[in-house]
């Protein structure tokens, strides 16, 4: 997809499939965001003291950062600060050097590690001409830019002699921290084939990635392809991952990072991932077809974009994923804090197993503790095209949307398109489940999931969802039940539920009392059926 990384092409693809007008969706989402921030999350990037070294507490969650719309595109207000810092970077890096002047040869054979080491200094703009440059790992100092001649024109490739744990490109001093780093217009090839037929392609922690920003403040990565990574293609993180429990996260995360027009492919875990970091803006990126060999065969949680443990204040605009386990996954492990204050505007998911997967592992079952940090999440103008089963995670059922454990969620404008000939094995296309609370679904369109149990299911029981509002659900020639509601759910509000299905079963099938207005059913045996 050489021409699909730019803003216009990805945005136009989303518009071609979406059943909704993005302009109207954005306006209402920003209004919801402002109101929810003001009433529930009024603090700015607040953390709390913790006696554990290199650890900070982020619970209770009271923080959010404001968003704005410039020329029709949503961006965080803090980007004004990052734009100013970029001008500072340009001023600091007036000295321009060519890496070939230090002995680098782009012939695909010569080891150029020393040449890059000599060329890369603070206050320099380092240019890399076309060619394939073999290196054993590159480290970037503060106040430095690394610029190639173009994606697929300048290629930095990890040497066959590099160990499994080696990162291809990272900042020099992750524990002390670095600042003002730019990487652009090149390809990073981690060269996973050098490892041969190994079961696992990573050494764990933050190792084995193509690009790692650890404890970086003010960073720009744009027009970069990362491929064949053992772990992640792009990782924005703290120096070490942290698993000390919900409400805690690692200190020294990265902050104020813009990732734009990136491509990630054939990686072991995630294409783009964030950990324990704040203020990240991800735009116009394409992540697709991971190899998944970080994990055991058939258990690979390899996502296109993953906003993971302890991440905060992340905004995603006009991205695309394809052939992954999760298109976008916002989550945390059970022994870490969930990502929160995460907002997605325009995303196209094609043939991902779970297009949009929002969860906090270990906080789902009735006897699990409630998540203290899975909060404040929105998705606007989302498009899911034909989610399918994947050998990456063999036992996972394909779904367009899953919301688990999160509270204060707004899904606004979701178009879910299934394959009418595909066997979805009686699983729902969209699932709101497992202790999620205060979930609003507005302008949801579903079609083509003819073998699913239901188009949208609200899961009940002892670990039920609750406080769910659904406004404008349209299901067209899809599952036999448009909306299925489980038992014991106490607060449900439904408005404008519409379905058309030849020989459909029930528009709404419920085991809980509901408040419903304006329902239209065409071809269903029952408009509203109580299954208590």
């Amino acid at each position: 997809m050489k021409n699909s990384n730019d803003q216009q092409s990805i945005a136009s693809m989303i518009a071609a499939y979406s059943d909704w007008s993005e302009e109207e969706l954005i306006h209402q989402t920003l209004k919801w965001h402002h109101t929810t921030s003001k009433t529930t999350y009024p603090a700015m990037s607040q953390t709390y003291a913790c006696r554990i070294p290199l650890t900070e507490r982020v619970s209770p969650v009271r923080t959010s950062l404001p968003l704005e719309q410039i020329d029709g595109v949503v961006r965080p207000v803090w980007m004004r600060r990052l734009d100013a810092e970029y001008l500072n970077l340009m001023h600091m890096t007036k000295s321009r050097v060519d890496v070939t002047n230090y002995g680098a040869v782009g012939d695909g054979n010569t080891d150029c590690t020393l040449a890059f080491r000599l060329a890369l200094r603070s206050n320099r703009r380092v240019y890399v001409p076309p060619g394939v440059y073999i290196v054993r790992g590159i480290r970037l100092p503060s106040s430095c830019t690394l610029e190639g001649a173009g994606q697929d024109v300048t290629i930095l490739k990890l040497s066959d002699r590099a160990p499994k744990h080696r990162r291809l490109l990272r900042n020099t001093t992750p524990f002390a921290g670095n600042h003002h780093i730019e990487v652009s217009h090149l390809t990073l090839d981690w060269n996973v084939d050098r490892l041969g037929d190994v079961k696992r392609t990573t050494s764990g922690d933050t190792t084995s990635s193509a690009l790692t920003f650890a404890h970086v403040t003010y960073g720009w990565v744009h027009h970069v392809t990362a491929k064949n990574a053992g772990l992640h293609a792009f990782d924005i993180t703290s120096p070490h991952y942290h698993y000390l429990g919900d409400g805690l996260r690692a200190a020294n995360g990265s902050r104020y990072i813009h990732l734009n027009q990136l491509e990630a492919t054939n990686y072991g875990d995630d294409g783009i991932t964030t950990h324990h970091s704040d203020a990240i803006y991800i735009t116009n990126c394409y992540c697709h077809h991971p190899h998944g060999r970080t994990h055991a065969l058939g258990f690979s949680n390899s996502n296109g974009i993953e906003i993971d443990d302890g991440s905060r204040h992340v905004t995603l605009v006009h991205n695309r994923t394809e052939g992954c386990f999760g298109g976008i996954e916002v989550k945390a492990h059970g022994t870490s804090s969930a990502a929160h204050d995460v907002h997605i505007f325009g995303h196209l998911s094609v043939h991902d197993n779970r297009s949009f997967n929002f969860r906090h592992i270990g906080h789902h079952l009735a006897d699990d503790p409630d998540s203290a940090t899975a909060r404040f999440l929105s998705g606007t103008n989302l498009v899911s095209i034909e989610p399918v089963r994947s050998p990456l995670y063999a036992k996972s059922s394909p779904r367009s949307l899953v919301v688990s454990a999160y509270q204060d969620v707004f899904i606004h404008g979701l178009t879910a398109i299934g394959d009418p000939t595909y066997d979805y094995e009686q699983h729902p296309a969209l699932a709101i489940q497992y202790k999620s609370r205060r979930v609003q679904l507005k302008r949801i369109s579903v079609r083509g999931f003819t073998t699913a149990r239901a188009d949208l299911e609200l899961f009940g029981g002892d670990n039920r969802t609750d406080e769910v509002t659904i406004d404008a659900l349209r299901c067209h020639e899809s599952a036999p039940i448009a909306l299925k509601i489980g038992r014991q759910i106490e607060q449900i509000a439904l408005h404008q539920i519409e379905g058309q299905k030849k020989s459909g079963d029930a528009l709404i099938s419920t085991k809980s009392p509901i408040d419903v207005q304006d329902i239209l059913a065409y071809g269903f045996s029952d408009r509203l059926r109580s299954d208590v």
Side-chain angles (χ1 to χ4, degrees):
M1 183 177 152
K2 300 304 180 189
N3 299 318
S4 296
N5 290 349
D6 62 277
Q7 176 180 330
Q8 283 302 317
S9 60
I10 293 182
S12 63
M13 283 190 291
I14 294 170
Y17 288 103
S18 177
D19 288 343
W20 316 102
S21 167
E22 182 169 277
E23 183 178 356
E24 182 180 358
L25 296 174
I26 287 175
H27 175 74
Q28 294 188 24
T29 297
L30 291 180
K31 184 177 180 180
W32 170 86
H33 182 276
H34 175 75
T35 300
T36 308
S37 298
K38 185 176 180 180
T39 58
T40 311
Y41 305 99
M44 294 280 195
S45 296
Q46 184 175 0
T47 56
Y48 306 90
C50 181
R51 295 182 179 180
I52 304 173
L54 297 177
T55 301
E56 57 190 22
R57 188 164 58 88
V58 293
S59 177
V61 176
R62 297 279 292 164
T63 63
S64 67
L65 293 179
L67 302 175
E68 63 183 355
Q69 189 176 13
I70 303 293
D71 296 328
V73 177
V74 176
R75 70 175 206 165
V77 171
W78 58 259
M79 275 295 295
R80 301 179 191 179
R81 178 176 182 178
L82 192 60
D83 290 343
E85 294 297 338
Y86 190 75
L87 296 177
N88 289 334
L89 175 64
M90 294 299 97
H91 180 74
M92 289 184 286
T93 56
K94 290 183 177 180
S95 175
R96 181 182 173 91
V97 301
D98 189 317
V99 72
T100 59
N101 293 335
Y102 292 83
V105 180
D107 60 1
N109 293 305
T110 304
D111 189 322
C112 303
T113 307
L114 180 58
F116 278 90
R117 188 174 301 169
L118 293 172
L120 288 166
R121 294 286 186 271
S122 293
N123 304 319
R124 280 185 179 178
R125 178 173 292 274
V126 179
Y127 175 68
V128 188
V132 179
Y133 298 83
I134 304 300
V135 296
R136 284 170 283 119
I138 297 174
R139 299 181 180 183
L140 298 171
S142 299
S143 305
C144 178
T145 75
L146 180 66
E147 179 182 5
Q151 285 170 276
D152 298 329
V153 177
T154 298
I155 300 173
L156 309 184
K157 184 176 182 180
L158 206 54
S159 168
D160 288 343
R161 295 183 295 165
K164 183 192 292 188
H165 68 265
R166 187 60 48 81
R167 306 169 188 85
L168 173 52
L169 191 64
R170 72 168 176 88
N171 53 300
T172 53
T173 54
F175 286 97
N178 293 102
H179 59 89
H180 294 88
I181 299 176
E182 179 186 20
V183 181
S184 65
H185 301 289
L186 49 79
T187 287
L188 303 173
D189 184 353
W190 194 82
N191 188 19
V192 70
D193 289 344
R194 78 184 189 278
L195 302 180
D197 190 24
V198 298
K199 291 184 178 180
R200 302 286 181 92
T201 58
T202 179
S203 298
D205 203 50
T206 65
T207 65
S208 312
S209 295
L211 181 145
T212 301
F213 275 6
H215 198 183
V216 172
T217 304
Y218 310 127
W220 301 263
V221 185
H222 59 96
H223 300 89
V224 174
T225 295
K227 60 184 182 179
N228 308 322
L231 183 62
H232 305 303
F234 302 93
D235 188 5
I236 310 303
T237 184
S238 57
H240 280 295
Y241 296 167
H242 188 302
Y243 299 102
L244 293 181
D246 186 19
L248 301 175
R249 70 170 193 172
N252 299 329
S254 295
R255 287 174 172 81
Y256 305 115
I257 308 294
H258 187 191
L259 308 178
N260 183 44
Q261 298 194 38
L262 308 182
E263 180 178 4
T265 187
N266 199 39
Y267 43 87
D269 194 8
D270 304 310
I272 298 173
T273 189
T274 68
H275 299 87
H276 309 285
S277 297
D278 289 350
I280 302 168
Y281 191 36
I282 303 171
T283 57
N284 314 309
C285 297
Y286 178 40
C287 302
H288 59 105
H289 302 106
H291 61 72
R293 291 165 59 199
T294 292
H295 307 277
L297 182 65
F299 294 92
S300 180
N301 183 44
S302 295
N303 303 296
I305 302 175
E306 181 181 81
I307 312 304
D308 205 357
D309 302 321
S311 300
R312 304 189 303 180
H313 320 312
V314 182
T315 308
L316 305 96
V317 177
H318 294 159
N319 299 291
R320 178 184 174 185
T321 55
E322 184 174 3
C324 307
F325 166 67
I328 294 183
E329 182 169 74
V330 182
K331 84 162 207 316
H333 297 85
T335 53
S336 189
S337 297
H340 58 270
D341 192 21
V342 179
H343 306 285
I344 307 160
F345 294 88
H347 187 91
L348 177 63
S349 166
V350 181
H351 297 159
D352 297 318
N353 178 255
R354 297 208 163 175
S355 299
F356 305 99
N357 198 18
F358 310 139
R359 59 183 180 145
H360 192 176
I361 299 168
H363 300 272
H364 294 166
L365 303 180
D367 55 356
D368 286 340
D370 293 341
S371 173
T373 50
R375 302 286 190 275
F376 202 28
L377 170 66
S378 71
T380 300
N381 202 25
L382 310 180
V383 177
S384 166
I385 298 179
E386 297 180 355
V388 293
R389 284 180 290 276
S390 170
L392 290 167
Y393 213 114
K395 294 184 178 181
S396 178
S397 58
R399 294 181 183 177
S400 290
L401 173 69
V402 176
V403 179
S404 303
Y406 268 86
Q407 301 183 23
D408 296 315
V409 178
F410 189 34
I411 306 300
H412 188 203
L414 167 63
T415 304
I417 304 171
D419 180 353
T421 67
Y422 190 80
D423 185 5
Y424 290 100
E425 298 181 343
Q426 296 297 303
H427 294 288
L430 289 72
I432 312 301
Q433 59 187 25
Y434 302 163
K435 297 188 175 184
S436 55
R437 296 288 184 271
R438 296 187 297 281
V439 179
Q440 297 183 51
L441 305 177
K442 187 171 185 177
R443 294 189 174 96
I444 309 298
S445 176
V446 188
R447 60 181 180 271
F449 290 89
T450 55
T451 58
R453 178 170 69 227
D455 288 323
L456 170 59
E457 183 166 350
L458 310 183
F459 279 62
D462 294 337
N463 60 337
R464 63 192 176 276
T465 186
D466 213 340
E467 301 177 73
V468 178
T469 301
I470 303 173
D471 187 357
L473 170 65
R474 301 192 319 212
C475 302
H476 180 79
E477 293 301 332
S478 199
I481 298 174
L483 174 59
K484 186 177 179 64
I485 301 172
R487 60 186 176 87
Q488 297 179 299
I489 305 176
E490 297 178 353
Q491 301 182 58
I492 307 172
L494 308 177
H495 184 243
Q496 292 188 0
I497 311 300
E498 178 182 336
Q500 179 180 335
K501 168 71 172 176
K502 185 178 180 180
S503 302
D505 186 3
L507 179 69
I508 302 174
S509 171
T510 181
K511 295 183 178 180
S512 297
I514 60 174
D515 175 16
V516 59
Q517 299 178 19
D518 297 335
I519 60 176
L520 297 172
Y522 304 92
F524 288 92
S525 299
D526 293 307
R527 295 170 69 242
L528 177 60
R529 186 177 69 199
S530 177
D531 290 330
V532 178

